[in-house]
mmCIF file of all heavy atoms in Angstrom:
data_model
loop_
_atom_site.group_PDB
_atom_site.id
_atom_site.type_symbol
_atom_site.label_atom_id
_atom_site.label_comp_id
_atom_site.label_asym_id
_atom_site.label_seq_id
_atom_site.Cartn_x
_atom_site.Cartn_y
_atom_site.Cartn_z
ATOM 1 N N LEU A 11 1.406 14.326 -14.754
ATOM 2 C CA LEU A 11 1.254 13.260 -13.765
ATOM 3 C C LEU A 11 -0.075 12.542 -13.950
ATOM 4 O O LEU A 11 -0.162 11.310 -13.864
ATOM 5 C CB LEU A 11 1.357 13.851 -12.355
ATOM 6 C CG LEU A 11 1.644 12.875 -11.199
ATOM 7 C CD1 LEU A 11 2.947 12.116 -11.451
ATOM 8 C CD2 LEU A 11 1.732 13.637 -9.881
ATOM 9 N N HIS A 12 -1.124 13.294 -14.241
ATOM 10 C CA HIS A 12 -2.438 12.705 -14.509
ATOM 11 C C HIS A 12 -2.397 11.845 -15.769
ATOM 12 O O HIS A 12 -3.019 10.771 -15.822
ATOM 13 C CB HIS A 12 -3.489 13.810 -14.669
ATOM 14 C CG HIS A 12 -4.088 14.262 -13.382
ATOM 15 N ND1 HIS A 12 -5.157 13.632 -12.799
ATOM 16 C CD2 HIS A 12 -3.750 15.291 -12.551
ATOM 17 C CE1 HIS A 12 -5.469 14.245 -11.671
ATOM 18 N NE2 HIS A 12 -4.630 15.259 -11.497
ATOM 19 N N ALA A 13 -1.669 12.311 -16.790
ATOM 20 C CA ALA A 13 -1.595 11.554 -18.046
ATOM 21 C C ALA A 13 -0.886 10.220 -17.840
ATOM 22 O O ALA A 13 -1.297 9.190 -18.389
ATOM 23 C CB ALA A 13 -0.873 12.387 -19.109
ATOM 24 N N VAL A 14 0.188 10.236 -17.041
ATOM 25 C CA VAL A 14 0.916 8.995 -16.770
ATOM 26 C C VAL A 14 0.042 8.029 -15.982
ATOM 27 O O VAL A 14 -0.027 6.830 -16.289
ATOM 28 C CB VAL A 14 2.217 9.286 -16.003
ATOM 29 C CG1 VAL A 14 2.902 7.989 -15.591
ATOM 30 C CG2 VAL A 14 3.166 10.120 -16.852
ATOM 31 N N SER A 15 -0.633 8.522 -14.955
ATOM 32 C CA SER A 15 -1.466 7.651 -14.125
ATOM 33 C C SER A 15 -2.672 7.120 -14.893
ATOM 34 O O SER A 15 -3.136 6.004 -14.640
ATOM 35 C CB SER A 15 -1.942 8.400 -12.876
ATOM 36 O OG SER A 15 -2.836 9.439 -13.217
ATOM 37 N N ALA A 16 -3.173 7.906 -15.860
ATOM 38 C CA ALA A 16 -4.339 7.474 -16.636
ATOM 39 C C ALA A 16 -4.043 6.214 -17.431
ATOM 40 O O ALA A 16 -4.937 5.406 -17.690
ATOM 41 C CB ALA A 16 -4.789 8.592 -17.567
ATOM 42 N N ARG A 17 -2.770 6.025 -17.815
ATOM 43 C CA ARG A 17 -2.416 4.832 -18.569
ATOM 44 C C ARG A 17 -2.413 3.583 -17.703
ATOM 45 O O ARG A 17 -2.407 2.470 -18.214
ATOM 46 C CB ARG A 17 -1.039 5.026 -19.225
ATOM 47 C CG ARG A 17 -1.056 6.051 -20.348
ATOM 48 C CD ARG A 17 0.210 5.971 -21.170
ATOM 49 N NE ARG A 17 1.367 6.506 -20.457
ATOM 50 C CZ ARG A 17 1.761 7.775 -20.525
ATOM 51 N NH1 ARG A 17 1.066 8.636 -21.251
ATOM 52 N NH2 ARG A 17 2.815 8.182 -19.864
ATOM 53 N N LEU A 18 -2.405 3.800 -16.377
ATOM 54 C CA LEU A 18 -2.440 2.663 -15.464
ATOM 55 C C LEU A 18 -3.841 2.399 -14.920
ATOM 56 O O LEU A 18 -4.239 1.253 -14.747
ATOM 57 C CB LEU A 18 -1.483 2.891 -14.289
ATOM 58 C CG LEU A 18 0.003 2.837 -14.620
ATOM 59 C CD1 LEU A 18 0.822 3.176 -13.382
ATOM 60 C CD2 LEU A 18 0.384 1.457 -15.111
ATOM 61 N N ILE A 19 -4.584 3.461 -14.634
ATOM 62 C CA ILE A 19 -5.897 3.277 -14.009
ATOM 63 C C ILE A 19 -7.027 3.459 -15.014
ATOM 64 O O ILE A 19 -8.194 3.363 -14.668
ATOM 65 C CB ILE A 19 -6.095 4.263 -12.832
ATOM 66 C CG1 ILE A 19 -6.058 5.714 -13.325
ATOM 67 C CG2 ILE A 19 -5.043 4.042 -11.776
ATOM 68 C CD1 ILE A 19 -6.284 6.727 -12.213
ATOM 69 N N GLY A 20 -6.656 3.736 -16.279
ATOM 70 C CA GLY A 20 -7.679 3.947 -17.301
ATOM 71 C C GLY A 20 -7.987 2.690 -18.088
ATOM 72 O O GLY A 20 -7.659 1.566 -17.692
ATOM 73 N N ALA A 21 -8.585 2.879 -19.242
ATOM 74 C CA ALA A 21 -9.092 1.761 -20.043
ATOM 75 C C ALA A 21 -7.996 1.034 -20.807
ATOM 76 O O ALA A 21 -8.241 -0.043 -21.350
ATOM 77 C CB ALA A 21 -10.141 2.279 -21.019
ATOM 78 N N GLU A 22 -6.780 1.595 -20.877
ATOM 79 C CA GLU A 22 -5.734 0.951 -21.658
ATOM 80 C C GLU A 22 -5.288 -0.362 -21.043
ATOM 81 O O GLU A 22 -4.810 -1.251 -21.729
ATOM 82 C CB GLU A 22 -4.515 1.884 -21.784
ATOM 83 C CG GLU A 22 -4.777 3.107 -22.649
ATOM 84 C CD GLU A 22 -3.507 3.918 -22.846
ATOM 85 O OE1 GLU A 22 -2.421 3.337 -22.706
ATOM 86 O OE2 GLU A 22 -3.601 5.111 -23.135
ATOM 87 N N PHE A 23 -5.431 -0.477 -19.712
ATOM 88 C CA PHE A 23 -4.995 -1.680 -19.039
ATOM 89 C C PHE A 23 -6.182 -2.561 -18.700
ATOM 90 O O PHE A 23 -7.246 -2.078 -18.345
ATOM 91 C CB PHE A 23 -4.232 -1.346 -17.741
ATOM 92 C CG PHE A 23 -2.814 -0.959 -17.976
ATOM 93 C CD1 PHE A 23 -2.505 0.322 -18.381
ATOM 94 C CD2 PHE A 23 -1.797 -1.866 -17.808
ATOM 95 C CE1 PHE A 23 -1.205 0.695 -18.597
ATOM 96 C CE2 PHE A 23 -0.485 -1.504 -18.018
ATOM 97 C CZ PHE A 23 -0.185 -0.217 -18.419
ATOM 98 N N THR A 24 -5.987 -3.853 -18.815
ATOM 99 C CA THR A 24 -7.022 -4.786 -18.409
ATOM 100 C C THR A 24 -7.000 -4.918 -16.892
ATOM 101 O O THR A 24 -6.170 -4.336 -16.202
ATOM 102 C CB THR A 24 -6.768 -6.162 -19.046
ATOM 103 O OG1 THR A 24 -5.499 -6.652 -18.604
ATOM 104 C CG2 THR A 24 -6.779 -6.073 -20.550
ATOM 105 N N ARG A 25 -7.917 -5.711 -16.380
ATOM 106 C CA ARG A 25 -7.996 -5.906 -14.933
ATOM 107 C C ARG A 25 -6.703 -6.529 -14.398
ATOM 108 O O ARG A 25 -6.273 -6.247 -13.292
ATOM 109 C CB ARG A 25 -9.188 -6.814 -14.606
ATOM 110 C CG ARG A 25 -9.494 -6.932 -13.133
ATOM 111 C CD ARG A 25 -10.789 -7.718 -12.921
ATOM 112 N NE ARG A 25 -11.134 -7.764 -11.511
ATOM 113 C CZ ARG A 25 -10.668 -8.670 -10.671
ATOM 114 N NH1 ARG A 25 -9.840 -9.597 -11.104
ATOM 115 N NH2 ARG A 25 -11.023 -8.656 -9.392
ATOM 116 N N LYS A 26 -6.076 -7.350 -15.186
ATOM 117 C CA LYS A 26 -4.803 -7.970 -14.808
ATOM 118 C C LYS A 26 -3.715 -7.433 -15.717
ATOM 119 O O LYS A 26 -3.690 -7.720 -16.915
ATOM 120 C CB LYS A 26 -4.905 -9.489 -14.956
ATOM 121 C CG LYS A 26 -3.630 -10.233 -14.589
ATOM 122 C CD LYS A 26 -3.559 -10.471 -13.108
ATOM 123 C CE LYS A 26 -2.373 -11.396 -12.787
ATOM 124 N NZ LYS A 26 -2.154 -11.528 -11.350
ATOM 125 N N ILE A 27 -2.824 -6.623 -15.203
ATOM 126 C CA ILE A 27 -1.767 -6.046 -16.029
ATOM 127 C C ILE A 27 -0.831 -7.159 -16.483
ATOM 128 O O ILE A 27 -0.466 -8.038 -15.720
ATOM 129 C CB ILE A 27 -1.006 -4.975 -15.236
ATOM 130 C CG1 ILE A 27 -1.930 -3.796 -14.939
ATOM 131 C CG2 ILE A 27 0.213 -4.495 -16.000
ATOM 132 C CD1 ILE A 27 -1.306 -2.716 -14.131
ATOM 133 N N SER A 28 -0.422 -7.105 -17.745
ATOM 134 C CA SER A 28 0.372 -8.175 -18.330
ATOM 135 C C SER A 28 1.790 -8.180 -17.755
ATOM 136 O O SER A 28 2.288 -7.190 -17.231
ATOM 137 C CB SER A 28 0.441 -8.017 -19.845
ATOM 138 O OG SER A 28 1.206 -6.869 -20.177
ATOM 139 N N PHE A 29 2.445 -9.339 -17.901
ATOM 140 C CA PHE A 29 3.821 -9.502 -17.448
ATOM 141 C C PHE A 29 4.752 -8.544 -18.193
ATOM 142 O O PHE A 29 5.682 -7.981 -17.620
ATOM 143 C CB PHE A 29 4.249 -10.955 -17.659
ATOM 144 C CG PHE A 29 5.641 -11.253 -17.174
ATOM 145 C CD1 PHE A 29 5.879 -11.539 -15.851
ATOM 146 C CD2 PHE A 29 6.709 -11.251 -18.057
ATOM 147 C CE1 PHE A 29 7.166 -11.820 -15.399
ATOM 148 C CE2 PHE A 29 7.993 -11.531 -17.627
ATOM 149 C CZ PHE A 29 8.215 -11.821 -16.294
ATOM 150 N N GLY A 30 4.490 -8.360 -19.494
ATOM 151 C CA GLY A 30 5.331 -7.471 -20.289
ATOM 152 C C GLY A 30 5.257 -6.028 -19.830
ATOM 153 O O GLY A 30 6.278 -5.341 -19.741
ATOM 154 N N HIS A 31 4.043 -5.535 -19.535
ATOM 155 C CA HIS A 31 3.897 -4.172 -19.023
ATOM 156 C C HIS A 31 4.616 -4.010 -17.688
ATOM 157 O O HIS A 31 5.243 -2.979 -17.416
ATOM 158 C CB HIS A 31 2.413 -3.832 -18.854
ATOM 159 C CG HIS A 31 1.749 -3.403 -20.119
ATOM 160 N ND1 HIS A 31 0.629 -4.035 -20.622
ATOM 161 C CD2 HIS A 31 2.034 -2.414 -20.998
ATOM 162 C CE1 HIS A 31 0.262 -3.445 -21.742
ATOM 163 N NE2 HIS A 31 1.098 -2.468 -21.991
ATOM 164 N N SER A 32 4.493 -5.017 -16.843
ATOM 165 C CA SER A 32 5.153 -4.958 -15.539
ATOM 166 C C SER A 32 6.657 -4.856 -15.698
ATOM 167 O O SER A 32 7.318 -4.045 -15.034
ATOM 168 C CB SER A 32 4.799 -6.195 -14.711
ATOM 169 O OG SER A 32 3.442 -6.199 -14.355
ATOM 170 N N LEU A 33 7.214 -5.684 -16.572
ATOM 171 C CA LEU A 33 8.657 -5.685 -16.767
ATOM 172 C C LEU A 33 9.151 -4.369 -17.351
ATOM 173 O O LEU A 33 10.192 -3.846 -16.946
ATOM 174 C CB LEU A 33 9.052 -6.849 -17.673
ATOM 175 C CG LEU A 33 10.555 -7.071 -17.888
ATOM 176 C CD1 LEU A 33 11.228 -7.357 -16.558
ATOM 177 C CD2 LEU A 33 10.786 -8.224 -18.858
ATOM 178 N N SER A 34 8.410 -3.801 -18.304
ATOM 179 C CA SER A 34 8.847 -2.553 -18.931
ATOM 180 C C SER A 34 8.882 -1.398 -17.933
ATOM 181 O O SER A 34 9.728 -0.514 -18.032
ATOM 182 C CB SER A 34 7.927 -2.198 -20.099
ATOM 183 O OG SER A 34 6.625 -1.862 -19.642
ATOM 184 N N TRP A 35 7.970 -1.426 -16.938
ATOM 185 C CA TRP A 35 7.949 -0.344 -15.964
ATOM 186 C C TRP A 35 9.130 -0.401 -15.002
ATOM 187 O O TRP A 35 9.432 0.585 -14.332
ATOM 188 C CB TRP A 35 6.627 -0.352 -15.181
ATOM 189 C CG TRP A 35 5.725 0.749 -15.614
ATOM 190 C CD1 TRP A 35 4.876 0.753 -16.670
ATOM 191 C CD2 TRP A 35 5.609 2.037 -15.008
ATOM 192 N NE1 TRP A 35 4.238 1.953 -16.763
ATOM 193 C CE2 TRP A 35 4.663 2.772 -15.755
ATOM 194 C CE3 TRP A 35 6.207 2.654 -13.910
ATOM 195 C CZ2 TRP A 35 4.303 4.064 -15.441
ATOM 196 C CZ3 TRP A 35 5.850 3.955 -13.594
ATOM 197 C CH2 TRP A 35 4.909 4.641 -14.354
ATOM 198 N N SER A 36 9.809 -1.516 -14.938
ATOM 199 C CA SER A 36 11.021 -1.590 -14.127
ATOM 200 C C SER A 36 12.077 -0.618 -14.640
ATOM 201 O O SER A 36 12.903 -0.108 -13.882
ATOM 202 C CB SER A 36 11.585 -3.016 -14.140
ATOM 203 O OG SER A 36 10.659 -3.923 -13.603
ATOM 204 N N TYR A 37 12.051 -0.363 -15.943
ATOM 205 C CA TYR A 37 13.000 0.567 -16.549
ATOM 206 C C TYR A 37 12.377 1.952 -16.748
ATOM 207 O O TYR A 37 13.053 2.972 -16.559
ATOM 208 C CB TYR A 37 13.472 0.009 -17.899
ATOM 209 C CG TYR A 37 14.019 -1.392 -17.806
ATOM 210 C CD1 TYR A 37 13.232 -2.494 -18.138
ATOM 211 C CD2 TYR A 37 15.313 -1.626 -17.360
ATOM 212 C CE1 TYR A 37 13.735 -3.789 -18.050
ATOM 213 C CE2 TYR A 37 15.824 -2.915 -17.263
ATOM 214 C CZ TYR A 37 15.029 -3.986 -17.609
ATOM 215 O OH TYR A 37 15.514 -5.262 -17.505
ATOM 216 N N ARG A 38 11.111 1.993 -17.133
ATOM 217 C CA ARG A 38 10.452 3.271 -17.408
ATOM 218 C C ARG A 38 10.290 4.122 -16.162
ATOM 219 O O ARG A 38 10.217 5.348 -16.257
ATOM 220 C CB ARG A 38 9.084 3.018 -18.034
ATOM 221 C CG ARG A 38 9.138 2.494 -19.456
ATOM 222 C CD ARG A 38 7.744 2.198 -19.954
ATOM 223 N NE ARG A 38 6.873 3.345 -19.809
ATOM 224 C CZ ARG A 38 5.547 3.261 -19.741
ATOM 225 N NH1 ARG A 38 4.957 2.078 -19.786
ATOM 226 N NH2 ARG A 38 4.814 4.349 -19.627
ATOM 227 N N TYR A 39 10.215 3.489 -14.985
ATOM 228 C CA TYR A 39 9.997 4.235 -13.751
ATOM 229 C C TYR A 39 11.021 5.349 -13.586
ATOM 230 O O TYR A 39 10.674 6.486 -13.281
ATOM 231 C CB TYR A 39 10.056 3.282 -12.554
ATOM 232 C CG TYR A 39 10.224 3.974 -11.226
ATOM 233 C CD1 TYR A 39 9.140 4.590 -10.601
ATOM 234 C CD2 TYR A 39 11.459 4.025 -10.598
ATOM 235 C CE1 TYR A 39 9.293 5.231 -9.386
ATOM 236 C CE2 TYR A 39 11.621 4.665 -9.382
ATOM 237 C CZ TYR A 39 10.541 5.261 -8.783
ATOM 238 O OH TYR A 39 10.689 5.904 -7.584
ATOM 239 N N TYR A 40 12.293 5.043 -13.773
ATOM 240 C CA TYR A 40 13.355 6.034 -13.577
ATOM 241 C C TYR A 40 13.278 7.144 -14.623
ATOM 242 O O TYR A 40 13.563 8.313 -14.315
ATOM 243 C CB TYR A 40 14.716 5.340 -13.608
ATOM 244 C CG TYR A 40 14.875 4.310 -12.526
ATOM 245 C CD1 TYR A 40 14.721 2.956 -12.794
ATOM 246 C CD2 TYR A 40 15.154 4.699 -11.211
ATOM 247 C CE1 TYR A 40 14.850 1.998 -11.793
ATOM 248 C CE2 TYR A 40 15.285 3.752 -10.209
ATOM 249 C CZ TYR A 40 15.127 2.411 -10.501
ATOM 250 O OH TYR A 40 15.238 1.473 -9.505
ATOM 251 N N LEU A 41 12.903 6.791 -15.846
ATOM 252 C CA LEU A 41 12.762 7.808 -16.893
ATOM 253 C C LEU A 41 11.595 8.738 -16.591
ATOM 254 O O LEU A 41 11.703 9.959 -16.762
ATOM 255 C CB LEU A 41 12.571 7.135 -18.252
ATOM 256 C CG LEU A 41 13.736 6.278 -18.752
ATOM 257 C CD1 LEU A 41 13.374 5.614 -20.073
ATOM 258 C CD2 LEU A 41 14.996 7.130 -18.894
ATOM 259 N N VAL A 42 10.483 8.169 -16.140
ATOM 260 C CA VAL A 42 9.313 8.988 -15.781
ATOM 261 C C VAL A 42 9.643 9.897 -14.616
ATOM 262 O O VAL A 42 9.302 11.090 -14.616
ATOM 263 C CB VAL A 42 8.112 8.088 -15.444
ATOM 264 C CG1 VAL A 42 6.959 8.909 -14.868
ATOM 265 C CG2 VAL A 42 7.633 7.343 -16.681
ATOM 266 N N ARG A 43 10.323 9.335 -13.618
ATOM 267 C CA ARG A 43 10.683 10.140 -12.438
ATOM 268 C C ARG A 43 11.608 11.292 -12.823
ATOM 269 O O ARG A 43 11.444 12.416 -12.348
ATOM 270 C CB ARG A 43 11.360 9.225 -11.409
ATOM 271 C CG ARG A 43 11.698 9.895 -10.102
ATOM 272 C CD ARG A 43 10.457 10.228 -9.311
ATOM 273 N NE ARG A 43 10.789 11.040 -8.156
ATOM 274 C CZ ARG A 43 10.819 12.350 -8.153
ATOM 275 N NH1 ARG A 43 10.535 13.023 -9.269
ATOM 276 N NH2 ARG A 43 11.110 13.017 -7.055
ATOM 277 N N LEU A 44 12.577 11.039 -13.700
ATOM 278 C CA LEU A 44 13.505 12.083 -14.145
ATOM 279 C C LEU A 44 12.766 13.140 -14.948
ATOM 280 O O LEU A 44 13.010 14.350 -14.773
ATOM 281 C CB LEU A 44 14.627 11.457 -14.970
ATOM 282 C CG LEU A 44 15.642 12.439 -15.575
ATOM 283 C CD1 LEU A 44 16.372 13.198 -14.472
ATOM 284 C CD2 LEU A 44 16.641 11.683 -16.458
ATOM 285 N N ARG A 45 11.860 12.718 -15.849
ATOM 286 C CA ARG A 45 11.121 13.683 -16.666
ATOM 287 C C ARG A 45 10.264 14.604 -15.796
ATOM 288 O O ARG A 45 10.207 15.819 -16.030
ATOM 289 C CB ARG A 45 10.234 12.935 -17.673
ATOM 290 C CG ARG A 45 9.560 13.883 -18.659
ATOM 291 C CD ARG A 45 8.854 13.158 -19.771
ATOM 292 N NE ARG A 45 7.589 12.575 -19.339
ATOM 293 C CZ ARG A 45 7.352 11.290 -19.211
ATOM 294 N NH1 ARG A 45 8.314 10.404 -19.477
ATOM 295 N NH2 ARG A 45 6.172 10.835 -18.835
ATOM 296 N N LEU A 46 9.630 14.047 -14.781
ATOM 297 C CA LEU A 46 8.811 14.871 -13.890
ATOM 298 C C LEU A 46 9.678 15.825 -13.065
ATOM 299 O O LEU A 46 9.292 16.976 -12.826
ATOM 300 C CB LEU A 46 7.991 13.974 -12.961
ATOM 301 C CG LEU A 46 6.871 13.174 -13.635
ATOM 302 C CD1 LEU A 46 6.245 12.212 -12.646
ATOM 303 C CD2 LEU A 46 5.814 14.114 -14.209
ATOM 304 N N TYR A 47 10.839 15.339 -12.646
ATOM 305 C CA TYR A 47 11.746 16.204 -11.882
ATOM 306 C C TYR A 47 12.183 17.395 -12.724
ATOM 307 O O TYR A 47 12.188 18.543 -12.248
ATOM 308 C CB TYR A 47 12.959 15.388 -11.437
ATOM 309 C CG TYR A 47 14.046 16.193 -10.775
ATOM 310 C CD1 TYR A 47 13.928 16.609 -9.452
ATOM 311 C CD2 TYR A 47 15.192 16.556 -11.480
ATOM 312 C CE1 TYR A 47 14.932 17.356 -8.847
ATOM 313 C CE2 TYR A 47 16.204 17.303 -10.888
ATOM 314 C CZ TYR A 47 16.066 17.699 -9.571
ATOM 315 O OH TYR A 47 17.059 18.445 -8.982
ATOM 316 N N LEU A 48 12.551 17.150 -13.974
ATOM 317 C CA LEU A 48 12.970 18.244 -14.860
ATOM 318 C C LEU A 48 11.801 19.182 -15.159
ATOM 319 O O LEU A 48 11.983 20.407 -15.237
ATOM 320 C CB LEU A 48 13.529 17.667 -16.161
ATOM 321 C CG LEU A 48 14.821 16.856 -16.035
ATOM 322 C CD1 LEU A 48 15.202 16.241 -17.384
ATOM 323 C CD2 LEU A 48 15.954 17.717 -15.496
#
């Protein structure tokens, strides 16, 4: 969970998250949630 959040609040993201990153998380959210549940 810390590793996933680090990609959002860490240095990989700029101050303004790009449109492409935002769109990709619309699909990745369910995969991340399922992986954590398992």
Side-chain angles (χ1 to χ4, degrees):
L11 198 58
H12 274 274
V14 174
S15 67
R17 290 194 287 269
L18 290 176
I19 62 178
E22 291 185 23
F23 280 80
T24 60
R25 188 173 184 274
K26 180 84 172 173
I27 294 178
S28 68
F29 182 83
H31 278 124
S32 293
L33 185 61
S34 67
W35 254 84
S36 299
Y37 306 99
R38 289 177 54 203
Y39 164 78
Y40 299 101
L41 297 177
V42 171
R43 184 69 188 90
L44 177 62
R45 187 172 76 249
L46 291 173
Y47 173 78
L48 295 175

